Amino acid sequence: MTTFLQQVVNGLSLGSIYAVFAIGCTLIFGVLNIVNLAQGAFFMVGAYLGLEIALLGLPLPLALLVALVGGGVLGMASELLVFRVLRLRGGHKWMGLVASLALARLLVGVAQEVFGTAVHGYPPNPFTAIVWEIGGVRVQLLQVIVVITAVILMGILGFTLQKTSVGRAIRTVAFSEDVARIVGVEVGRTILITFFIAGALAGAAGVLLGLLFNVVSPFMGEHMLVKGLTVMILGGLGNIPGAVAGGFLLGLVEVFSVAYVSSAFRDAIGFGLIFLILLVKPTGLFSGFEERRA
């Protein structure tokens, strides 16, 4: 039981990061029915931005804020320089997929030149030294902070989408761009805001993962992108609550597979379980965007 509860704690902290990242991917897909493959690169850049702030000796909340803003700016840049240009030129949405992949590779290349290919770690902070042992289960203060921060970010996003004019505009565009224009929504600005939010979430997730595992590298976003897209599909395409549930589920499955089977089978077991779930429910755990719009 102690081992079980320990893995629950570990899985929740990891799953909360997966959920934050996947929400950004899901939000873009829900609004534009496209996938931005540069999200993983935004995640990586966010981790490096937070690392640089931390190395300056500044508070970690400031590192998180800088990563949020930096990721959001990159998200807006991807919309203005890639997706919007292709839309205006009548390009197929799959061209945006390829262009965003090229943007991701560009950012990875820049990161390699600036920071090198070696793995970096965040400097020691007081949060990593505080550990509670409750009934044999070790709970790090950093794990608690990661989960609480992720929940706060998800809560802010949920409030924004449901209770603000910006959120109503995003939901209207997600339903239909033509309807949005008819009711007076500025579609271009709304899409730009959506990309900012998605990029900001990716940047924040990068800092949280970098802190939790003390690992930052130019290639960390590629692995996270696969996880995020998997969670997005598992939860239901375009479904934000589904992305949250899928993120926590994937995190729990991964840590349990490491504890009870082997770390070598971590991804195989996680993706295998997801494959079985999708065979039973091809639309994901919850109804996705395409199903609701139909």
Side-chain angles (χ1 to χ4, degrees):
M1 180 57 69
T2 300
T3 301
F4 175 84
L5 293 176
Q6 183 67 68
Q7 300 317 311
V8 169
V9 172
N10 297 339
L12 289 177
S13 57
L14 177 60
S16 64
I17 299 173
Y18 286 164
V20 170
F21 180 79
I23 286 174
C25 300
T26 300
L27 189 63
I28 292 178
F29 186 89
V31 172
L32 291 175
N33 197 26
I34 59 175
V35 177
N36 185 3
L37 294 181
Q39 284 287 111
F42 302 161
F43 170 88
M44 175 270 297
V45 171
Y48 272 112
L49 289 175
L51 175 62
E52 291 301 305
I53 296 299
L55 289 174
L56 293 174
L58 298 174
L60 289 180
L62 180 60
L64 181 66
L65 179 61
V66 170
L68 275 166
V69 176
V73 170
L74 286 174
M76 294 173 65
S78 70
E79 154 62 5
L80 292 173
L81 302 177
V82 178
F83 293 102
R84 180 168 298 188
V85 172
L86 290 173
R87 285 199 307 274
L88 293 176
R89 293 178 176 271
H92 193 276
K93 63 181 180 180
W94 291 111
M95 299 306 296
L97 193 73
V98 175
S100 65
L101 179 60
L103 175 61
R105 297 308 306 168
L106 173 63
L107 291 175
V108 170
V110 171
Q112 287 180 266
E113 289 296 323
V114 175
F115 302 105
T117 58
V119 175
H120 297 81
Y122 278 74
N125 62 79
F127 302 115
T128 57
I130 300 178
V131 180
W132 300 294
E133 187 164 334
I134 306 172
V137 178
R138 290 172 56 85
V139 180
Q140 300 179 31
L141 174 59
L142 186 58
Q143 290 177 310
V144 176
I145 292 174
V146 165
V147 173
I148 291 176
T149 303
V151 171
I152 290 174
L153 290 174
M154 290 185 282
I156 292 174
L157 176 63
F159 177 83
T160 300
L161 292 177
Q162 296 297 326
K163 301 297 184 180
T164 67
S165 59
V166 171
R168 287 190 291 271
I170 291 175
R171 288 186 285 116
T172 304
V173 174
F175 177 76
S176 170
E177 290 187 23
D178 292 333
V179 172
R181 291 188 179 92
I182 291 173
V183 299
V185 173
E186 294 187 27
V187 174
R189 186 180 68 177
T190 302
I191 292 175
L192 196 61
I193 292 173
T194 301
F195 271 86
F196 177 86
I197 294 173
L201 291 173
V207 172
L208 295 179
L209 189 75
L211 285 171
L212 188 61
F213 292 99
N214 204 30
V215 172
V216 179
S217 79
F219 311 106
M220 62 188 295
E222 298 175 1
H223 187 66
M224 179 57 71
L225 179 63
V226 175
K227 304 288 187 180
L229 295 179
T230 302
V231 169
M232 182 180 74
I233 296 171
L234 176 63
L237 292 173
N239 189 286
I240 291 178
V244 174
F248 280 107
L249 176 60
L250 181 59
L252 289 168
V253 169
E254 286 189 353
V255 297
F256 274 112
S257 65
V258 171
Y260 291 105
V261 185
S262 169
S263 60
F265 294 99
R266 171 178 176 172
D267 288 339
I269 293 175
F271 289 117
L273 177 61
I274 290 169
F275 176 72
L276 293 176
I277 292 174
L278 292 178
L279 285 180
V280 177
K281 201 172 190 303
T283 57
L285 295 174
F286 299 91
S287 298
F289 171 69
E290 290 297 326
E291 183 176 333
R292 293 200 312 274
R293 186 164 65 173

